[in-house]
Amino acid sequence: WTQAISKCLPALGDGYVVGMQMGETVMSIWDLVLQRVIIPLLLGHPLDPIKRDCSKVLVQAEEFAQQDQALVVRYLWQLMINLSDPSKSIGTILEGEVLDPRVHKSENTLSHRMLYFSEAMLLLMFADYEAAAQRAIERGDYYSQSNPGVASNMGETFHRAISLYAGARQTKKKKFKKAAVKLQKRIVGWQKAGNPNVKHFVLVLDAESAALSSKVEIAKAKYQEAIAVASKGGFLQYVGLFNERYADYLLQDPLSADEAMKRRCEAIEAYREWGAHAKVEQMMGESS
């Protein structure tokens, strides 16, 4: 939490190799799942290479009878299929090509929390903000409390926070804003404690807060800064999301329609580069 997440990738690779040599398959396969699937997804790496790695990691997990790891891979792989291939998925419903809920059932907290993460991320990325916000209220800190200390807590907490802000702007429900502010304070606290992984989160949440408070110039400046930081860090998913949220805000002012369209185009381009072609299709359909 005090180093860039990307710095853990070499250590995870070493841990996998050494663990397998020692016969410690449980933690070795977790290292592999983290190195090849979870961390690259969090970092916004292109989806297609991660999906290809999912098939290889799943084979190893099942070969060594590591069912929790195999389920986690299936959840995240299906998440990425939903985002990338509309012909093989059903939008925000987490089932399809590699995941059949009737067969692939989570029976403990280890894998179930990643099911929750994946379902929540789909709601956010496909802009079902009210449903995402309501889910964030109902589930609360389930993920972080059952998964303390892991890097994905940062992304999951942020996903809840921005979903709540988006839901508040969409519905005007005070409960969403109240919950969003609470999570925002937590993420700001991480940054103040020296966490280098959340700067773009803090900036865009500042933008969302300012937007709700009608602080127009602050909101615009914060959105632009958040997009710049996410772009510099290579977080393609957030370059897309932040531009999409900024465009949505700008559309409230008819005089900003041209800038809003520019930001939508930049969101589409970022999502396309990420490999989220189903998301691109959704946005293109909204623009037509």
Side-chain angles (χ1 to χ4, degrees):
W1 286 58
T2 59
Q3 299 289 327
I5 295 175
S6 58
K7 290 186 177 181
C8 74
L9 291 172
L12 289 168
D14 292 343
Y16 165 72
V17 171
V18 172
M20 292 301 286
Q21 290 172 345
M22 296 175 62
E24 176 48 75
T25 56
V26 177
M27 291 310 301
S28 295
I29 300 301
W30 275 122
D31 285 344
L32 187 64
V33 172
L34 283 161
Q35 186 205 27
R36 306 291 287 275
V37 182
I38 296 176
I39 300 300
L41 179 62
L42 293 174
L43 293 174
H45 291 184
L47 295 178
D48 284 347
I50 308 175
K51 288 191 295 179
R52 288 194 293 270
D53 279 346
C54 281
S55 64
K56 301 172 186 176
V57 175
L58 182 61
V59 167
Q60 283 205 265
E62 293 184 337
E63 179 182 348
F64 288 98
Q66 300 301 309
Q67 295 308 312
D68 278 333
Q69 296 93 317
L71 267 177
V72 166
V73 173
R74 286 187 182 276
Y75 292 144
L76 294 175
W77 192 0
Q78 188 62 55
L79 161 68
M80 290 182 274
I81 290 171
N82 281 40
L83 288 166
S84 61
D85 192 344
S87 70
K88 296 180 180 178
S89 65
I90 317 173
T92 58
I93 300 175
L94 192 71
E95 63 179 79
E97 185 179 11
V98 301
L99 184 67
D100 182 345
R102 296 167 296 180
V103 177
H104 306 116
K105 297 180 180 180
S106 174
E107 297 181 354
N108 63 52
T109 303
L110 280 173
S111 51
H112 188 266
R113 63 197 183 199
M114 198 54 73
L115 169 63
Y116 165 76
F117 176 95
S118 301
E119 290 175 335
M121 187 171 178
L122 280 177
L123 291 173
L124 171 62
M125 299 311 297
F126 281 108
D128 194 348
Y129 298 133
E130 184 173 6
Q134 186 59 44
R135 184 186 180 89
I137 292 283
E138 292 171 356
R139 299 299 177 90
D141 286 331
Y142 162 73
Y143 186 89
S144 58
Q145 288 179 352
S146 64
N147 210 25
V150 301
S152 54
N153 279 350
M154 290 178 269
E156 188 276 333
T157 301
F158 168 69
H159 291 171
R160 277 189 289 145
I162 196 167
S163 294
L164 287 159
Y165 267 127
R169 193 156 90 205
Q170 187 178 70
T171 68
K172 313 303 181 188
K173 291 182 178 179
K174 294 181 179 179
K175 67 177 182 178
F176 291 161
K177 180 179 178 181
K178 181 179 179 180
V181 169
K182 181 179 179 180
L183 292 177
Q184 181 181 10
K185 289 179 179 177
R186 183 183 304 175
I187 295 170
V188 169
W190 294 341
Q191 184 184 48
K192 289 180 177 179
N195 188 325
N197 299 292
V198 297
K199 182 177 181 180
H200 51 312
F201 296 164
V202 170
L203 288 166
V204 82
L205 294 176
D206 284 345
E208 294 283 338
S209 177
L212 270 183
S213 301
S214 300
K215 298 176 181 178
V216 177
E217 295 308 316
I218 294 175
K220 289 181 177 180
K222 293 293 185 179
Y223 275 124
Q224 292 168 19
E225 193 175 354
I227 291 165
V229 171
S231 181
K232 183 178 179 180
F235 298 101
L236 292 171
Q237 77 278 45
Y238 296 131
V239 177
L241 179 63
F242 296 176
N243 271 296
E244 184 179 9
R245 294 298 302 149
Y246 189 20
D248 182 75
Y249 175 62
L250 290 169
L251 283 172
Q252 297 180 25
D253 177 8
L255 297 177
S256 299
D258 289 345
E259 178 65 16
M261 182 57 65
K262 174 186 173 184
R263 293 296 176 175
R264 280 187 65 83
C265 289
E266 291 183 5
I268 289 170
E269 184 55 37
Y271 285 135
R272 182 178 287 116
E273 185 178 354
W274 187 34
H277 303 296
K279 176 62 182 180
V280 169
E281 185 176 287
Q282 180 196 49
M283 293 190 72
M284 294 291 286
E286 293 171 350
S287 298
S288 61

